[in-house]
Amino acid sequence: MGCLCAEVLTFGMFDGSLLYAIPRGLENILTDGMLVRVPFGRTKTLGVTIHTCQMDLNKSSFQVKEILNIEYDFPLLGADMIKLIFWMRKYYAVSYKSLLETIIPLAIRGNGGFKFVTKLSLIKTLSKEDCEVLRRRSPKQYTLYEFLLKSNGTFEKSELKSFSTSAINSLVDKGIIGETFERANRIVYASQTFEESGHNGKDVILTTEQLNVATDIAESLAKGKFCTHLIHGITGSGKTEVYLHAIKNVLESGGNAIYLVPELTLTPQTVHRIRRGVNLPAAQVVVWHSGLSEGERRDAWLAMANGEAKIVIGARSAIFAPLKNTKIIIVDEEHETTYKQAETPRYHARDVAVYRAKLCNAVCILGSATPSIESLFNASLNRYRLNTLKNRIDGSTLPRIEVVDMRHEHSMGKSNIISLRLRELVEDRLAKHEQIILFLNKRGYSSVVFCKNCDYVATCPHCSTSLTYHRQQNALRCHTCNYIESLPAKCPKCGGYDILQSGVGTQKLMGVICTLFPLAKVERLDSDTTTTKDSFYKILNRFRNGEIDILVGTQMISKGLDFPNVSLVGIINMDNAMNFPDFRSNERVFQSIIQVSGRAGRGNKPGIVVIQTNFPSSDLVKLAIQNDVESFFRNELMARSEFFYPPFSHIVRLIFSGKNEVKTEFLAKKTCDDLRKRSQGLFELRGPAPAVMYKVKDRFRFSLMCFSKNVGTVLEKIHESMEAFKGTKDVIWTIDVDLVDMM
């Protein structure tokens, strides 16, 4: 006789599905995508059901164990998410376990985490005589009773702070007040505000240009078929209003939306703009990112999985939101490298978003003022529909960009971090009560600490990188492994006392600014000053309110922010990034210049951007000044085609890391030789070579890169090679498909 069974992907170490019998009590309840607890060897583990089938257990050659129980009475993953897991495992060469742990958070897999609130209401009405007795003997209890009688409502206990706890408890004990306990849904950013001028919750009238783009997207949505739109809109052109228009369209037809932002710090302002723009309760616009508490994560996930949520807004991992009936997926600032996960599974959220939209027959919107080369290339091949926004919505013009040749400054004997021209402009803006942003993508005080008398440089003992001096802590810190040591009073190598500091970080820049402009109110915005949950947008609110004159910051201030009173942006030093050993370095510098420049002149005040550089005549700087994305795209394509770089190929990188340098290099070379024989000319190998970050946390790293038009072919041969060398246990292999970070 047949038995109903289920295939289950478990959180155990077995990398495949296992068959379990469905107990009779669960036959009519269990469906695909449910979280279940199953026996796994001598232990128990969790898993996700992916398929049910009939099976004759009497003819089975192995013992089929039963599912123990279901954790939730509704599926956590829909059919699209199950298919997405299969695709990601194959494309990114990762295990089911790592994918499940990434997609289903620990807050859902663990126990507890619910928040309950106490509700109070009047359940007994007193007679006049009893009221008089209560008023004489217990005035506080009477005042509370009278309040509840007049209000005739139910209150959370926390709302009755003006009444004493003893008065509340006494009336509960007397049976006058009823007490109930209800589960509370934690709503992220519900009581906080991010102040934005020009966004007051009213319907925004789209410009003709915006309306053309919105209409094109609406036509794609009406067809109900997969389509990807790339919106190339200059800074301030109103891409967010177009996104909002599309979301409203989807909601009206009964669909739901996922909205990705590149960093969690950008979620508060996005959440508030969307909540004000759609006619939905705050609880239906869910926030998802790594900064949430376990309780917030649990509530958000369950709201998505059980159908309560309509819109999900969050960073990279929000692409795995178990949202039902997803009809639109928006990836804002799609060019940002933060969409690529740095640890296993090394997925790219933008590419996953496109594929998930395909599985859902949804529309995917990619938006940026500086689209990635890959996305522009896909648009040129008509894989994406290209929509453009060439004008700012408020009629303002793009800021004027000036370039300061720092070589001339140095030849004049000026070694200041701030050039004379930038200093003049800052003084002028301060006098006019206008605001300034100074961009430097390097936190800390000094990037290098060295001895003048010998070749000593303060480096991390665990990583091949120099230590950065942080003045506030008077300590040296490694930004790779977070190793910390005290600033030496004398050279550890020669014993000399000429310890110098070179390079500039945001901490040092802020000190210079405070010295040059002592009356100005200066604030710093980087990962060192935004360690608390709400610190990022609190600083931004103070800046918007005019409490800060000069904002010094890293890439955090380069995107998605709208400050009408900012009329000057200074880009302090982009030269190090221009010369970084990465084929994408020019693209990243170009994008940074355009994005940071876009923060200036967004109101009725004309904007100026000052770029300080030692390479003023470079094509990159010239094209950035002209905001000429198309010419930059053509130049980059020519350069990349010559070396078979993306978008003309996919790069699959193998990183070999081990504590023994010789053994690690030996395995890297042996693997390269083996892969070269297996490749049969189907893909190109480059390396192995020491990785840019050669040593990390006491492990030596060697990089081997495979270039191919077909990822599957490369991975097949890599797995064959890994099987041949599987006896080497003291060297770790890491596979990174479509790598973004060359470190």
Side-chain angles (χ1 to χ4, degrees):
M1 184 177 176
C3 174
L4 191 60
C5 297
E7 283 186 67
V8 178
L9 294 178
T10 73
F11 286 82
M13 294 307 294
F14 180 74
D15 193 30
S17 63
L18 294 172
L19 195 67
Y20 289 92
I22 302 175
R24 289 190 180 277
L26 299 179
E27 286 180 343
N28 297 323
I29 301 174
L30 192 139
T31 60
D32 294 351
M34 279 189 163
L35 187 67
V36 296
R37 191 169 298 277
V38 295
F40 186 80
R42 296 181 180 180
T43 63
K44 300 173 185 176
T45 189
L46 292 173
V48 176
T49 56
I50 59 171
H51 178 63
T52 57
C53 60
Q54 287 285 341
M55 183 175 178
D56 190 346
L57 298 184
N58 295 325
K59 296 181 180 180
S60 175
S61 59
F62 55 89
Q63 181 186 4
V64 178
K65 299 180 180 179
E66 279 193 345
I67 291 173
L68 300 174
N69 62 273
I70 58 174
E71 298 292 298
Y72 300 94
D73 58 2
F74 52 86
L76 292 189
L77 301 179
D80 63 315
M81 284 302 301
I82 293 173
K83 291 177 182 177
L84 188 68
I85 288 173
F86 292 151
W87 174 77
M88 289 184 67
R89 179 181 182 271
K90 183 177 180 181
Y91 189 83
Y92 290 109
V94 292
S95 67
Y96 285 123
K97 181 177 185 291
S98 67
L99 285 171
L100 290 175
E101 289 177 344
T102 299
I103 293 171
I104 302 178
L106 186 61
I108 293 298
R109 290 179 271 137
N111 295 318
F114 292 117
K115 179 184 178 182
F116 291 90
V117 295
T118 304
K119 294 288 187 74
L120 301 172
S121 60
L122 197 65
I123 59 174
K124 180 181 178 182
T125 304
L126 300 178
S127 64
K128 290 184 178 180
E129 293 77 9
D130 290 338
C131 282
E132 183 61 27
V133 171
L134 185 65
R135 186 183 63 79
R136 289 199 316 269
R137 294 181 178 178
S138 306
K140 292 182 179 179
Q141 293 180 32
Y142 177 76
T143 303
L144 173 59
Y145 169 80
E146 191 177 39
F147 170 79
L148 292 175
L149 183 66
K150 290 180 179 179
S151 59
N152 192 28
T154 300
F155 297 87
E156 288 187 18
K157 195 171 186 177
S158 59
E159 295 176 325
L160 300 175
K161 292 179 180 179
S162 58
F163 302 99
S164 68
T165 304
S166 61
I168 294 173
N169 293 339
S170 295
L171 291 185
V172 169
D173 292 339
K174 293 175 181 177
I176 298 173
I177 292 179
E179 191 176 42
T180 58
F181 302 94
E182 295 181 12
R183 183 187 153 198
N185 185 23
R186 282 158 283 214
I187 302 174
V188 182
Y189 306 138
S191 60
Q192 302 155 351
T193 59
F194 184 91
E195 300 161 15
E196 293 182 282
S197 62
H199 303 289
N200 55 11
K202 297 180 181 178
D203 286 339
V204 176
I205 300 175
L206 301 182
T207 65
T208 302
E209 204 174 40
Q210 286 176 307
L211 191 58
N212 289 337
V213 176
T215 302
D216 193 41
I217 293 171
E219 290 174 357
S220 295
L221 288 168
K223 293 175 183 176
K225 295 182 179 179
F226 164 66
C227 180
T228 300
H229 286 256
L230 174 63
I231 301 180
H232 177 197
I234 66 169
T235 54
S237 59
K239 293 183 288 295
T240 304
E241 283 75 19
V242 174
Y243 301 154
L244 185 56
H245 189 276
I247 290 173
K248 286 181 178 179
N249 193 335
V250 165
L251 292 174
E252 288 171 2
S253 62
N256 297 327
I258 296 175
Y259 191 129
L260 301 186
V261 293
E263 295 189 33
L264 63 87
T265 51
L266 294 175
T267 53
Q269 66 193 60
T270 306
V271 168
H272 289 302
R273 290 184 71 172
I274 297 301
R275 280 179 178 163
R276 284 198 299 267
V278 298
N279 187 25
L280 287 177
Q284 292 185 352
V285 182
V286 172
V287 180
W288 186 261
H289 55 65
S290 60
L292 304 182
S293 69
E294 287 298 288
E296 289 171 335
R297 292 169 75 81
R298 187 182 184 92
D299 288 352
W301 181 271
L302 293 180
M304 293 184 280
N306 65 22
E308 293 176 14
K310 300 296 182 184
I311 302 173
V312 178
I313 301 172
R316 182 175 58 231
S317 59
I319 191 54
F320 303 123
L323 200 63
K324 300 179 185 301
N325 197 26
T326 302
K327 291 302 176 186
I328 192 167
I329 301 176
I330 297 167
V331 185
D332 194 21
E333 307 291 358
E334 65 85 27
H335 67 280
E336 284 292 338
T337 57
T338 49
Y339 282 122
K340 183 72 157 77
Q341 172 86 353
E343 299 85 26
T344 302
R346 289 173 166 77
Y347 66 92
H348 199 303
R350 178 196 62 211
D351 300 339
V352 174
V354 172
Y355 195 81
R356 184 173 179 185
K358 181 179 180 181
L359 293 173
C360 297
N361 280 323
V363 170
C364 185
I365 300 178
L366 311 179
S368 176
T370 54
S372 64
I373 298 296
E374 287 85 353
S375 293
L376 285 171
F377 186 69
N378 281 327
S380 71
L381 298 178
N382 294 321
R383 294 171 183 164
Y384 298 166
R385 287 185 63 84
L386 179 63
N387 303 110
T388 57
L389 296 169
K390 297 181 179 180
N391 301 288
R392 285 184 160 182
I393 54 175
D394 56 6
S396 62
T397 59
L398 289 172
R400 184 178 85 250
I401 299 180
E402 298 183 10
V403 178
V404 175
D405 188 345
M406 295 304 286
R407 296 172 302 178
H408 179 69
E409 292 275 323
H410 298 319
S411 68
M412 297 287 289
K414 309 292 183 182
S415 58
N416 289 332
I417 299 169
I418 303 297
S419 63
L420 286 176
R421 176 56 178 161
L422 182 54
R423 182 174 176 175
E424 291 171 358
L425 288 171
V426 170
E427 290 174 342
D428 176 71
R429 284 342 187 240
L430 290 175
K432 294 177 179 177
H433 302 290
E434 296 173 4
Q435 292 172 300
I436 302 105
I437 288 177
L438 298 178
F439 173 78
L440 176 62
N441 204 16
K442 181 70 177 178
R443 61 193 175 101
Y445 189 81
S446 297
S447 54
V448 180
V449 175
F450 65 99
C451 176
K452 183 179 179 181
N453 301 318
C454 69
D455 60 356
Y456 167 76
V457 176
T459 57
C460 176
H462 309 291
C463 308
S464 57
T465 183
S466 59
L467 295 173
T468 300
Y469 176 56
H470 287 252
R471 191 174 189 179
Q472 192 171 357
Q473 296 84 22
N474 193 35
L476 302 174
R477 173 174 290 177
C478 174
H479 288 171
T480 301
C481 72
N482 208 34
Y483 167 81
I484 300 175
E485 67 177 43
S486 300
L487 179 70
K490 61 181 181 179
C491 177
K493 187 172 183 179
C494 70
Y497 287 91
D498 291 326
I499 300 294
L500 303 179
Q501 299 165 13
S502 178
V504 182
T506 50
Q507 197 175 32
K508 186 173 183 177
L509 176 59
M510 181 175 173
V512 170
I513 295 300
C514 290
T515 301
L516 291 175
F517 311 102
L519 299 180
K521 293 168 286 188
V522 187
E523 187 70 76
R524 180 162 55 100
L525 188 66
D526 57 29
S527 57
D528 292 327
T529 61
T530 54
T531 54
T532 60
K533 189 173 182 179
D534 305 328
S535 53
F536 175 81
Y537 74 90
K538 285 181 178 178
I539 293 174
L540 294 186
N541 275 339
R542 293 207 307 275
F543 188 54
R544 179 174 300 284
N545 293 335
E547 298 170 37
I548 301 170
D549 299 316
I550 304 174
L551 187 63
V552 175
T554 57
Q555 79 283 350
M556 285 185 173
I557 61 174
S558 67
K559 47 190 171 284
L561 304 177
D562 184 4
F563 301 109
N565 197 40
V566 173
S567 60
L568 175 63
V569 167
I571 301 176
I572 305 305
N573 182 7
M574 301 292 289
D575 295 352
N576 291 337
M578 289 170 65
N579 296 294
F580 191 77
D582 186 336
F583 71 92
R584 287 192 175 94
S585 60
N586 279 351
E587 180 183 6
R588 289 173 184 164
V589 172
F590 181 83
Q591 289 167 341
S592 291
I593 293 175
I594 299 296
Q595 292 285 343
V596 178
S597 299
R599 302 313 110 202
R602 295 173 76 100
N604 55 12
K605 302 178 178 68
I608 298 179
V609 177
V610 175
I611 302 174
Q612 298 185 163
T613 178
N614 291 303
F615 309 100
S617 59
S618 71
D619 290 339
L620 186 156
V621 173
K622 290 178 180 178
L623 292 175
I625 292 172
Q626 300 165 11
N627 199 51
D628 192 347
V629 177
E630 289 78 10
S631 295
F632 178 80
F633 170 64
R634 288 194 298 270
N635 291 353
E636 275 294 291
L637 279 188
M638 290 177 59
R640 293 191 188 186
S641 64
E642 183 178 352
F643 297 100
F644 198 42
Y645 281 128
F648 301 100
S649 69
H650 294 275
I651 300 179
V652 179
R653 183 171 72 160
L654 276 171
I655 287 287
F656 302 85
S657 69
K659 293 191 174 183
N660 187 304
E661 184 177 9
V662 175
K663 284 185 178 181
T664 306
E665 183 178 18
F666 176 77
L667 180 61
K669 289 180 177 179
K670 290 288 288 183
T671 303
C672 180
D673 294 339
D674 184 69
L675 281 173
R676 190 166 278 115
K677 293 174 185 177
R678 297 177 189 273
S679 69
Q680 299 176 337
L682 295 175
F683 55 88
E684 179 186 345
L685 291 162
R686 298 181 192 175
V692 176
M693 189 68 73
Y694 181 49
K695 185 181 178 185
V696 175
K697 298 180 181 179
D698 294 319
R699 300 187 71 91
F700 297 94
R701 305 166 74 245
F702 289 85
S703 173
L704 175 62
M705 295 198 292
C706 311
F707 291 71
S708 175
K709 291 195 173 186
N710 189 298
V711 169
T713 301
V714 177
L715 293 177
E716 179 185 346
K717 301 305 178 184
I718 286 176
H719 288 309
E720 290 176 4
S721 192
M722 290 177 74
E723 187 67 23
F725 293 103
K726 65 180 180 181
T728 311
K729 296 182 179 180
D730 50 353
V731 177
I732 297 174
W733 302 51
T734 301
I735 302 174
D736 189 359
V737 178
D738 295 334
L739 85 158
V740 168
D741 186 357
M742 296 289 288
M743 298 296 284

